[in-house]
Amino acid sequence: MAQKQHIAIFTTASLPWMTGTAVNPLFRAAYLAQDSDRDITLVIPWLSLKDQALVYPNKITFSSLVEHEAYVYWWLKEKADVISGFKITFYPGKFSKEKRSILPVGDITETIPDEVADIAILEEPEHLTWYHHGRRWKTKFRKVIGVVHTNYLEYVKREKNGQIQAFLLKYVNSWVIQIYCHKVFINPSTTDVVCTTTAEALAMGKIVICANHPSNEFFRQFPNCHMYNTGNEFVQLTLRALVEEPLPLTDGLRHALSWEAATERFVEAAELNEAIQEKTPLSPKPLVQMSSDDWRKSVEEASAFLHNTVSGIEVARCAFGAIPETLQPDEQLCKELGLDFPEHKMLFRH
């Protein structure tokens, strides 16, 4: 009998914040969980009330983990007619007003017990690992898959000294993703890396005009998708689209835009169906016996050690933009999450 896969999906946002990293991982969890051979846990940030008020719309707040969990399940059933077959676990988070982002607090790998730490999917891996201090993801989990959502470089370019910041951030992102992930799914758009609006428009039967760019290659198969290379082509295609009627989608193309098909492509790209191999600790080898792959792993280990050291220094963390005093959850977060304070070993789990 095949061993059951345990997949933990860590993400940087949660409903009711209607952002891509709240919605996309939620559907990924729901559709991966439809395979009975998989045990899926969605790991989302828990915010204290003052941060909830800054993030969640329509004055929605939650007084407990159970209340927040119930809302997520309710939304999935009522808004998308999808029955949840996965668990939800929370990690401590704080909202950064400067970055307009939720950042993890403490070592969030602790949310998953070692005995079921099989596969981790990091939605926005750079975001989740910029200030990570604790267990190395590749050591904790057998396989770590990163899914890049946000083009942070584009956002940073708009700030003061943006070009310099973007240059540095590009290399920091590549560094942390390399040392913490086995596989970095990237949609190399020049501005937005998700392209969900393109998929939504095609699914609604609309004509789409988009750039001839690697990020849009998937959409080339759709007859209602027209691609341009120059500004003049964009104008001509737009004028043509204004007098055309969209072609009806075939069943095959409609399926290609579904979450079922997206999940199938994800499973294939992530190689989730490959035979399960046990995690094996690295054993030191004499220098003369080290292959190029051994050298690469050694350099990676040293790089991860450097990051772990720097991320554990409060002054360095703050210098690189971390929220002050987020090496460990504060007393309020510990109380809300059911953690021991100040020293804790295990996070509350449902």
Side-chain angles (χ1 to χ4, degrees), residues 10-14 17 21 43 45 91 101-102 123-124 127-128 152:
F10 292 80
T11 190
T12 56
S14 174
W17 193 9
T21 51
V43 190
Y91 67 79
S101 298
I102 298 172
E123 310 273 352
E124 293 202 318
H127 186 148
L128 288 168
Y152 288 107

Side-chain angles (χ1 to χ4, degrees), residues 97-129:
K97 294 181 182 179
E98 293 74 20
K99 292 181 172 58
R100 298 294 303 170
S101 298
I102 298 172
L103 296 175
V105 178
D107 180 7
I108 67 173
T109 67
E110 294 180 1
T111 57
I112 302 298
D114 287 355
E115 59 269 22
V116 293
D118 183 17
I119 297 172
I121 298 173
L122 307 187
E123 310 273 352
E124 293 202 318
E126 70 283 52
H127 186 148
L128 288 168
T129 58

Side-chain angles (χ1 to χ4, degrees), residues 190-234:
T190 54
T191 54
D192 184 20
V193 300
V194 182
C195 301
T196 49
T197 51
T198 301
E200 290 167 354
L202 289 170
M204 293 169 65
K206 298 182 181 296
I207 293 175
V208 168
I209 299 170
C210 60
N212 184 8
H213 187 272
S215 63
N216 292 318
E217 187 61 32
F218 169 76
F219 302 112
R220 192 181 297 277
Q221 62 184 305
F222 296 88
N224 288 332
C225 181
H226 306 319
M227 296 189 175
Y228 63 89
N229 292 290
T230 65
N232 185 57
E233 285 185 8
F234 171 76

Side-chain angles (χ1 to χ4, degrees), residues 16-18 52-61 71 79:
W17 193 9
M18 294 296 293
Q52 290 184 38
L54 295 173
V55 177
Y56 299 148
N58 303 320
K59 298 182 179 180
I60 299 175
T61 58
Y71 178 90
K79 303 296 184 180

Side-chain angles (χ1 to χ4, degrees), residues 184-330:
V184 186
F185 292 166
I186 300 179
N187 189 336
S189 171
T190 54
T191 54
D192 184 20
V193 300
V194 182
C195 301
T196 49
T197 51
T198 301
E200 290 167 354
L202 289 170
M204 293 169 65
K206 298 182 181 296
I207 293 175
V208 168
I209 299 170
C210 60
N212 184 8
H213 187 272
S215 63
N216 292 318
E217 187 61 32
F218 169 76
F219 302 112
R220 192 181 297 277
Q221 62 184 305
F222 296 88
N224 288 332
C225 181
H226 306 319
M227 296 189 175
Y228 63 89
N229 292 290
T230 65
N232 185 57
E233 285 185 8
F234 171 76
V235 173
Q236 296 302 317
L237 287 173
T238 302
L239 293 174
R240 194 176 90 188
L242 290 173
V243 296
E244 281 185 348
E245 287 295 324
L247 296 173
L249 284 175
T250 64
D251 290 342
L253 290 177
R254 190 175 299 279
H255 175 72
L257 291 170
S258 70
W259 265 101
E260 288 89 350
T263 302
E264 292 166 5
R265 292 191 295 270
F266 179 83
V267 168
E268 180 181 359
E271 299 174 349
L272 294 183
N273 286 332
E274 68 179 12
I276 294 179
Q277 299 176 349
E278 295 296 326
K279 291 180 286 187
T280 54
L282 293 175
S283 55
K285 295 182 180 180
L287 292 179
V288 292
Q289 295 182 12
M290 293 183 70
S291 65
S292 58
D293 190 52
D294 292 330
W295 276 107
R296 182 189 62 79
K297 289 181 179 178
S298 295
V299 171
E300 187 179 283
E301 288 289 326
S303 187
F305 176 79
L306 174 61
H307 181 267
N308 187 67
T309 301
V310 174
S311 65
I313 302 172
E314 180 68 12
V315 174
R317 291 171 61 85
C318 294
F320 285 101
I323 299 174
E325 299 181 1
T326 53
L327 261 172
Q328 299 292 341
D330 59 26

